[in-house]
Amino acid sequence: MSATDTIVAVDVVITSPGRNFVTLKITTAEGLVGWGDATLNGRELAVASYLRDHVAPLLVGRDPARIEDTWQYLYRGAYWRRGPVTMTSVGAVDLALWDIKGKATGQPVYQLLGGAVRDRILTYTHASGRDVPRLLDAIDAQRARGFLAVRAQSGVPGLGTVYGVSESGPGPGSGAGPDHARAGQGPAGRGAAPDVEIWDTDAYLRHAPEMLAAARAHVGPELKLLHDVHHRLTPGEAARLGRALEAVNLFWLEDVTPAENQEVLRHVRRHTTVPLAIGEVFNTVWECQTLITEQLIDFVRTCVTHAGGISHLRRIAALAEIWQVRLGPHGPSDISPVAMAASLHVGLSTPNFAIQEYMGYEPVVHEVFRHAWSYEDGYLHPGDEPGLGIEVDEALAARFPYEPAYLPIARRQDGSVSDW
C-alpha cells in the first residue's frame, strides 16, 4: 500500500450458511482487500443498509492507511452516533482497514498492535442440558475436546424451553471447534417473528444454585465454570443469586441484571464477591465507564465488532486495565469468523485480556470464511498470516441467501415481557 493508495470499492456481502452474517469488503486501488464483520443478530439488514447507503459513499477515495482518522470521521463526524447499528457499521470498517494495513505491511494485525503479550488465548465454550444429568454429560464432552473453561446452562424444572439450552447433547464437533448447534445453543429461530419462551424467575433462583453446585462437584476444582443469567434478574435477585453461588467458585457470573442503569450494580457488588461479567450489548466505552472505574464488574464483555472495532475495543481495554478489570469478549456463533479473528488479534496483544468465548461454527461456515485462527486444547490463536488472516469465498457465500431469523422473546407466567 503506497502513500497514494485509495479506497475504490466498498461492498456488503450478506450470507446465511446456517445463520445470517453481514460482511464488509473494502478494496483499494492497489488491489488490497480488507474484510470486516457487520453482523448484528436479528437486525442484520439495518446494518447492511447503514453501510451501503450512508457509509460506503463516504469511504471511496479515502486513504485506507488512515485508520484512526477514518474512525473519528465516522464516529465524531456524525450527528447521530453510538448505538448498535452505528457502532457495528463503524466496527466493520475498522476491522477491514486493519486487515488492509496488515496485508500491506505483511504482518498479522497483532504485531501492529504491539506484538504478542501471551502465547495463546484461553477460551470457553458452552455446555447445556434439559436437566442436570444431561448438563454434566455435556460438560464431560466439552472437557474431552480439551476445553478448560465451560459455560454451564440447564433447563429449569417446570419451564419448557430455556434460552441457551440445547435439546440435544454435544455432537462430534466440526474439527475446528465445537459444533455450535449441538454444543449449547443453535441458530436464531428462522421465521418472520421471534419465538416466545415462558420465564419464571423464582423457579430459576431455586434451581440455579443447585445445578451449578452439582456441576462443580462433578468436575472438581480445576475446570473454570461460567454461567449466564441473560439479564433476567432485578438487582436484589442478582445479589441473592451471587451470594448463593460464592461456594461454587465460578470464573464469572454473566449479565445478572440489565446494566443500562449502571448504578444498580453497586447493590449487587455490596452483597457478593462472585466475579461479575457484563457488557456484550455495550457499544462504546461510555457504557462501560462507571462499571469499570467503580470496579463494579470483574470482566467487560464488549464485542470487537459491535463496539466500534479494534480501535475502540483497545480504548475500553486501556481504561479497564487501569482499574484491574479484564476483557472476556462476546464471541457466539452469530459473530462471523472475521470478528473472531479480530478479537483474537486484540487478545494476543492486550495484557488484561482474560478469555475468549468460542461456540464454534458449522463446517460450511469455515468454508465460506477461510481463516488462519485455530483452536487447540482449550486455547485459540489468531495465526500469523498478514492482516486478520481471513478470506471470504464470495461464490460459496452467494449460495446461502438471507433468511429472517430472531432470538426468542421471554414472557413471564402472567404474559408480561421479561428482560432479554
Side-chain angles (χ1 to χ4, degrees), residues 278-305:
I278 281 180
E280 68 181 55
V281 298
F282 290 172
N283 311 125
T284 71
V285 69
W286 305 111
E287 284 94 344
C288 307
Q289 182 182 14
T290 298
L291 300 179
I292 290 172
T293 59
E294 295 192 19
Q295 295 180 300
L296 301 178
I297 59 174
D298 302 275
F299 300 90
V300 62
R301 297 269 291 128
T302 45
C303 176
V304 65
T305 189

Short mmCIF file of all heavy atoms in Angstrom, two decimals, residues 278-305:
data_model
loop_
_atom_site.label_atom_id
_atom_site.label_comp_id
_atom_site.label_asym_id
_atom_site.label_seq_id
_atom_site.Cartn_x
_atom_site.Cartn_y
_atom_site.Cartn_z
N ILE A 278 -20.13 -8.35 32.45
CA ILE A 278 -21.24 -7.61 31.81
C ILE A 278 -20.67 -6.87 30.60
O ILE A 278 -19.51 -6.50 30.57
CB ILE A 278 -21.89 -6.63 32.80
CG1 ILE A 278 -22.86 -7.38 33.74
CG2 ILE A 278 -22.64 -5.50 32.10
CD1 ILE A 278 -23.55 -6.51 34.75
N GLY A 279 -21.53 -6.64 29.59
CA GLY A 279 -21.14 -5.71 28.54
C GLY A 279 -21.25 -6.18 27.12
O GLY A 279 -20.88 -5.44 26.21
N GLU A 280 -21.79 -7.37 26.86
CA GLU A 280 -21.82 -7.82 25.48
C GLU A 280 -22.76 -6.99 24.63
O GLU A 280 -22.63 -6.96 23.40
CB GLU A 280 -22.20 -9.30 25.39
CG GLU A 280 -23.62 -9.64 25.78
CD GLU A 280 -23.89 -11.13 25.69
OE1 GLU A 280 -23.15 -11.92 26.30
OE2 GLU A 280 -24.84 -11.51 24.99
N VAL A 281 -23.72 -6.29 25.24
CA VAL A 281 -24.62 -5.42 24.47
C VAL A 281 -24.16 -3.96 24.52
O VAL A 281 -24.84 -3.08 23.99
CB VAL A 281 -26.07 -5.53 24.97
CG1 VAL A 281 -26.60 -6.93 24.77
CG2 VAL A 281 -26.21 -5.10 26.42
N PHE A 282 -23.02 -3.69 25.12
CA PHE A 282 -22.48 -2.32 25.14
C PHE A 282 -21.79 -2.02 23.82
O PHE A 282 -21.21 -2.90 23.19
CB PHE A 282 -21.47 -2.15 26.28
CG PHE A 282 -22.09 -2.17 27.66
CD1 PHE A 282 -21.27 -2.20 28.78
CD2 PHE A 282 -23.45 -2.17 27.84
CE1 PHE A 282 -21.81 -2.22 30.06
CE2 PHE A 282 -24.01 -2.19 29.11
CZ PHE A 282 -23.18 -2.21 30.22
N ASN A 283 -21.83 -0.75 23.43
CA ASN A 283 -21.28 -0.34 22.14
C ASN A 283 -20.12 0.65 22.21
O ASN A 283 -19.41 0.83 21.23
CB ASN A 283 -22.39 0.28 21.27
CG ASN A 283 -23.64 -0.58 21.22
OD1 ASN A 283 -24.72 -0.11 21.54
ND2 ASN A 283 -23.49 -1.85 20.85
N THR A 284 -19.96 1.33 23.35
CA THR A 284 -18.86 2.28 23.48
C THR A 284 -18.27 2.21 24.88
O THR A 284 -18.84 1.61 25.79
CB THR A 284 -19.34 3.74 23.24
OG1 THR A 284 -20.15 4.15 24.33
CG2 THR A 284 -20.10 3.88 21.93
N VAL A 285 -17.16 2.89 25.04
CA VAL A 285 -16.52 2.96 26.34
C VAL A 285 -17.41 3.65 27.37
O VAL A 285 -17.30 3.39 28.57
CB VAL A 285 -15.15 3.67 26.23
CG1 VAL A 285 -15.34 5.16 25.93
CG2 VAL A 285 -14.30 3.46 27.47
N TRP A 286 -18.33 4.50 26.90
CA TRP A 286 -19.17 5.24 27.83
C TRP A 286 -20.13 4.32 28.58
O TRP A 286 -20.42 4.55 29.76
CB TRP A 286 -19.96 6.32 27.08
CG TRP A 286 -19.05 7.21 26.30
CD1 TRP A 286 -18.94 7.30 24.94
CD2 TRP A 286 -18.08 8.11 26.83
NE1 TRP A 286 -17.96 8.20 24.60
CE2 TRP A 286 -17.42 8.71 25.73
CE3 TRP A 286 -17.69 8.48 28.12
CZ2 TRP A 286 -16.41 9.65 25.89
CZ3 TRP A 286 -16.69 9.42 28.28
CH2 TRP A 286 -16.06 9.99 27.18
N GLU A 287 -20.63 3.27 27.93
CA GLU A 287 -21.48 2.31 28.64
C GLU A 287 -20.70 1.55 29.71
O GLU A 287 -21.27 1.08 30.69
CB GLU A 287 -22.11 1.31 27.67
CG GLU A 287 -23.26 1.87 26.86
CD GLU A 287 -22.82 2.41 25.51
OE1 GLU A 287 -21.61 2.63 25.33
OE2 GLU A 287 -23.67 2.60 24.65
N CYS A 288 -19.40 1.41 29.50
CA CYS A 288 -18.55 0.64 30.42
C CYS A 288 -17.95 1.49 31.53
O CYS A 288 -17.46 0.96 32.53
CB CYS A 288 -17.39 0.00 29.65
SG CYS A 288 -17.85 -0.98 28.22
N GLN A 289 -17.99 2.81 31.39
CA GLN A 289 -17.17 3.69 32.21
C GLN A 289 -17.40 3.53 33.71
O GLN A 289 -16.48 3.27 34.48
CB GLN A 289 -17.40 5.14 31.80
CG GLN A 289 -16.54 6.13 32.58
CD GLN A 289 -16.83 7.57 32.18
OE1 GLN A 289 -17.83 7.85 31.52
NE2 GLN A 289 -15.98 8.48 32.59
N THR A 290 -18.64 3.67 34.15
CA THR A 290 -18.93 3.59 35.58
C THR A 290 -18.63 2.20 36.12
O THR A 290 -18.06 2.04 37.21
CB THR A 290 -20.39 3.96 35.86
OG1 THR A 290 -20.61 5.32 35.45
CG2 THR A 290 -20.72 3.84 37.35
N LEU A 291 -19.01 1.18 35.37
CA LEU A 291 -18.78 -0.19 35.82
C LEU A 291 -17.30 -0.48 36.01
O LEU A 291 -16.90 -1.21 36.93
CB LEU A 291 -19.38 -1.17 34.82
CG LEU A 291 -20.88 -1.07 34.58
CD1 LEU A 291 -21.33 -2.10 33.55
CD2 LEU A 291 -21.64 -1.26 35.89
N ILE A 292 -16.47 0.10 35.15
CA ILE A 292 -15.03 -0.12 35.24
C ILE A 292 -14.41 0.73 36.34
O ILE A 292 -13.71 0.22 37.22
CB ILE A 292 -14.36 0.17 33.89
CG1 ILE A 292 -14.75 -0.91 32.85
CG2 ILE A 292 -12.84 0.24 34.04
CD1 ILE A 292 -14.27 -0.60 31.45
N THR A 293 -14.69 2.03 36.32
CA THR A 293 -13.98 2.94 37.23
C THR A 293 -14.41 2.75 38.68
O THR A 293 -13.67 3.11 39.60
CB THR A 293 -14.18 4.40 36.82
OG1 THR A 293 -15.58 4.71 36.82
CG2 THR A 293 -13.61 4.65 35.43
N GLU A 294 -15.60 2.20 38.92
CA GLU A 294 -16.01 1.89 40.28
C GLU A 294 -15.79 0.42 40.61
O GLU A 294 -16.19 -0.04 41.68
CB GLU A 294 -17.48 2.28 40.49
CG GLU A 294 -17.72 3.77 40.39
CD GLU A 294 -19.09 4.16 40.89
OE1 GLU A 294 -19.73 3.37 41.62
OE2 GLU A 294 -19.54 5.27 40.54
N GLN A 295 -15.16 -0.30 39.70
CA GLN A 295 -14.85 -1.72 39.88
C GLN A 295 -16.09 -2.52 40.29
O GLN A 295 -16.06 -3.38 41.15
CB GLN A 295 -13.72 -1.91 40.90
CG GLN A 295 -12.40 -1.32 40.42
CD GLN A 295 -11.28 -1.51 41.41
OE1 GLN A 295 -11.38 -1.02 42.55
NE2 GLN A 295 -10.24 -2.20 41.01
N LEU A 296 -17.18 -2.24 39.58
CA LEU A 296 -18.44 -2.93 39.84
C LEU A 296 -18.52 -4.25 39.10
O LEU A 296 -19.42 -5.06 39.36
CB LEU A 296 -19.63 -2.04 39.45
CG LEU A 296 -19.70 -0.70 40.18
CD1 LEU A 296 -20.89 0.12 39.69
CD2 LEU A 296 -19.78 -0.90 41.69
N ILE A 297 -17.62 -4.46 38.15
CA ILE A 297 -17.53 -5.72 37.43
C ILE A 297 -16.07 -6.17 37.41
O ILE A 297 -15.15 -5.38 37.67
CB ILE A 297 -18.06 -5.61 35.99
CG1 ILE A 297 -17.28 -4.56 35.18
CG2 ILE A 297 -19.56 -5.32 35.98
CD1 ILE A 297 -17.65 -4.51 33.71
N ASP A 298 -15.87 -7.43 37.09
CA ASP A 298 -14.53 -8.00 37.01
C ASP A 298 -14.10 -8.24 35.57
O ASP A 298 -12.91 -8.29 35.27
CB ASP A 298 -14.48 -9.32 37.78
CG ASP A 298 -14.87 -9.14 39.24
OD1 ASP A 298 -13.98 -8.79 40.04
OD2 ASP A 298 -16.06 -9.32 39.55
N PHE A 299 -15.09 -8.41 34.68
CA PHE A 299 -14.82 -8.67 33.27
C PHE A 299 -15.77 -7.83 32.42
O PHE A 299 -16.96 -7.77 32.72
CB PHE A 299 -15.03 -10.15 32.92
CG PHE A 299 -14.17 -11.10 33.69
CD1 PHE A 299 -14.61 -11.62 34.90
CD2 PHE A 299 -12.92 -11.48 33.23
CE1 PHE A 299 -13.83 -12.50 35.63
CE2 PHE A 299 -12.13 -12.36 33.95
CZ PHE A 299 -12.58 -12.88 35.15
N VAL A 300 -15.23 -7.21 31.38
CA VAL A 300 -16.07 -6.47 30.45
C VAL A 300 -16.18 -7.29 29.16
O VAL A 300 -15.20 -7.81 28.66
CB VAL A 300 -15.52 -5.05 30.18
CG1 VAL A 300 -14.14 -5.07 29.55
CG2 VAL A 300 -16.50 -4.25 29.34
N ARG A 301 -17.43 -7.42 28.65
CA ARG A 301 -17.73 -8.39 27.60
C ARG A 301 -17.93 -7.76 26.23
O ARG A 301 -18.45 -8.41 25.31
CB ARG A 301 -19.01 -9.14 27.99
CG ARG A 301 -18.91 -9.93 29.27
CD ARG A 301 -18.47 -11.35 28.99
NE ARG A 301 -19.51 -12.06 28.29
CZ ARG A 301 -19.33 -12.73 27.15
NH1 ARG A 301 -18.15 -12.77 26.56
NH2 ARG A 301 -20.34 -13.37 26.58
N THR A 302 -17.55 -6.52 26.02
CA THR A 302 -17.80 -5.87 24.75
C THR A 302 -17.19 -6.65 23.59
O THR A 302 -16.09 -7.17 23.67
CB THR A 302 -17.25 -4.44 24.74
OG1 THR A 302 -15.94 -4.44 25.31
CG2 THR A 302 -18.13 -3.51 25.52
N CYS A 303 -17.94 -6.68 22.49
CA CYS A 303 -17.55 -7.44 21.29
C CYS A 303 -16.83 -6.51 20.32
O CYS A 303 -17.24 -5.38 20.11
CB CYS A 303 -18.80 -8.02 20.65
SG CYS A 303 -18.52 -8.89 19.10
N VAL A 304 -15.79 -7.01 19.70
CA VAL A 304 -14.93 -6.18 18.86
C VAL A 304 -15.70 -5.52 17.72
O VAL A 304 -15.42 -4.37 17.37
CB VAL A 304 -13.74 -6.99 18.33
CG1 VAL A 304 -14.17 -8.10 17.38
CG2 VAL A 304 -12.72 -6.08 17.64
N THR A 305 -16.65 -6.21 17.14
CA THR A 305 -17.36 -5.61 16.01
C THR A 305 -18.51 -4.71 16.45
O THR A 305 -18.77 -3.68 15.84
CB THR A 305 -17.85 -6.70 15.03
OG1 THR A 305 -18.35 -6.08 13.85
CG2 THR A 305 -18.92 -7.58 15.65
#
